[in-house]
Amino acid sequence: MLEELIRFTADEADAGHTVRDVLQKRYGVSRRLLIRAKFKGLITRNGQLVFVNEKLQAGDEIAVMVSEDAEETVAPEDMPLTIRYEDDDLMVIAKPSGLVVHPTGNHAGGTLANGVIAYWQKRGEHRRFRAVNRLDKDTSGLLIVAKNQWAHEQFSRMQQERTLHRIYQAIAEGVVESDEGKIDAPIGLAEDSFITRQVRPDGQTAVTHFRVLDRGNGMSHLELKLDTGRTHQIRVHMSSLGHPLAGDDLYGGSREYIGRQALHASRLSFIHPRSGISMELTEPLPADMSHLAATFFTK
C-alpha cells in the first residue's frame, strides 16, 4: 500500500524552483527516498503525476507517496499505551520498565511494537513500527516512534547532527564527587559475551555528560545527556567510574533496593521535522525510582 509522506502547497518562495529542489532542500527528503517515490510510489501536482524536474508555481499542491519496503510482520496485541504526544508524523510514548521495545528471539510477543501496531490498526492506520530512540527492557521513560519513512529519516539526521536531545535521570551507587562532568570512553562488546558491553580502546566512540542532582547515604541522583547512543551506554559509563546504577546487576549494581536498573528517559527535545516548532516533553520519575530517591535523599 502507498504511504503519504509529504503534502504541501507551494508558496511564493517555492515558485520557479523544481519539485526535486523543494522536496530535498525545504523538506529534507533524501535522494534515496525520492528515487523510491519516483519508481515505487507517486508524486503528484494538483492531483496529476509530475516529474521532479518540473518547476513549481505558487499555489501548486504537491503530494509524495511511497510504498512500504515490506509488509509489517509484527503481530498486533492489545495493551495499554501511555501516549504523551501524537500527530501524523510521530508519537511519543512513556514506556514502563519491563517492556521490550521490539520483538526478538527471546521476546517474540508482548512488546511495545505489538501494542503500537494494534493501536494503529484499530484506527485504520497501516504503518510499520519505527522506534527512533531505543530503550532497554528495564529502562523507563520517553520513546519516539516515527510514523512514516520520511519522519524516520529526519530523526536519524537529527541524531547524527546531535539536535535530538535525550536527557535521562539515574540513581547510582556511591557518592559521585564531581558536580558535573563528561565521560568520553569508547564502548565495545565485552570478551566472550554477546550482551555485556565494556569500555575498551577499540570500541565505538561514546560520550555521556552528567550532572549531580542530589547525594546522600551512599547514593547519587544524576541527570545525564547522551551525545552518542551506544547500547547500555549510561550503564557501562557509570560502572566504569565505579558507580554502577542501583539495581543494575549486569554491571555491578545491587538489587537490594530496586529490582531493575534505576534509569529513566526523563526529557526529549527536538525541532519538529514538519512544523519546525521546538518541542520538549518531560516524564516524571516512575514510582520505583521515586521511592528509591525518597529513601536515600533528604531535602
Side-chain angles (χ1 to χ4, degrees), residues 28 85 87-92 130-133 143-166 268-274 277 279 281:
Y85 177 83
D87 60 25
D88 290 339
D89 295 308
L90 64 106
M91 60 194 304
V92 179
R130 300 178 176 92
V132 173
N133 57 313
L143 181 142
I144 303 171
V145 177
K147 294 179 67 174
N148 58 58
Q149 297 173 60
W150 172 77
H152 194 256
E153 282 195 349
Q154 303 315 300
F155 279 111
S156 295
R157 176 180 53 78
M158 290 182 213
Q159 288 179 310
Q160 292 170 2
E161 296 174 354
R162 298 181 182 177
T163 55
L164 171 58
H165 302 295
R166 298 160 290 165
L268 288 169
S269 63
F270 55 90
I271 302 299
H272 192 287
R274 188 181 299 270
I277 295 173
M279 300 189 65
L281 296 98

Side-chain angles (χ1 to χ4, degrees), residues 36 41 50 54 82 85 93 101 109 111 122 132 136-137 145 148-149 172 174 180-181 207 209 230 258 269 295 299:
R36 290 197 58 233
V50 65
E54 292 185 33
T82 304
Y85 177 83
I93 297 171
V101 172
T111 71
K122 281 186 175 181
V132 173
D136 296 337
K137 173 187 174 185
V145 177
N148 58 58
Q149 297 173 60
E180 58 184 38
V207 178
H209 302 267
R230 306 305 175 200
I258 189 170
S269 63
T295 301
K299 295 297 184 182

Side-chain angles (χ1 to χ4, degrees), residues 101-219:
V101 172
H102 202 280
T104 64
N106 294 328
H107 296 90
T111 71
L112 181 65
N114 297 108
V116 170
I117 294 299
Y119 167 77
W120 282 338
Q121 289 190 5
K122 281 186 175 181
R123 293 157 52 106
E125 300 178 25
H126 299 279
R127 305 179 184 275
R128 294 191 67 195
F129 181 80
R130 300 178 176 92
V132 173
N133 57 313
R134 302 295 179 94
L135 298 179
D136 296 337
K137 173 187 174 185
D138 288 332
T139 299
S140 56
L142 297 173
L143 181 142
I144 303 171
V145 177
K147 294 179 67 174
N148 58 58
Q149 297 173 60
W150 172 77
H152 194 256
E153 282 195 349
Q154 303 315 300
F155 279 111
S156 295
R157 176 180 53 78
M158 290 182 213
Q159 288 179 310
Q160 292 170 2
E161 296 174 354
R162 298 181 182 177
T163 55
L164 171 58
H165 302 295
R166 298 160 290 165
I167 310 297
Y168 292 75
Q169 288 191 37
I171 297 175
E173 296 182 356
V175 176
V176 178
E177 294 186 358
S178 300
D179 289 341
E180 58 184 38
K182 173 183 174 182
I183 309 168
D184 186 350
I187 292 175
L189 275 172
E191 297 292 341
D192 302 319
S193 175
F194 293 104
I195 299 174
T196 309
R197 267 66 178 176
Q198 68 182 73
V199 169
R200 51 187 300 163
D202 61 346
Q204 294 179 297
T205 300
V207 178
T208 304
H209 302 267
F210 70 87
R211 180 169 68 93
V212 176
L213 301 177
D214 207 347
R215 304 178 179 91
N217 301 306
M219 293 280 190

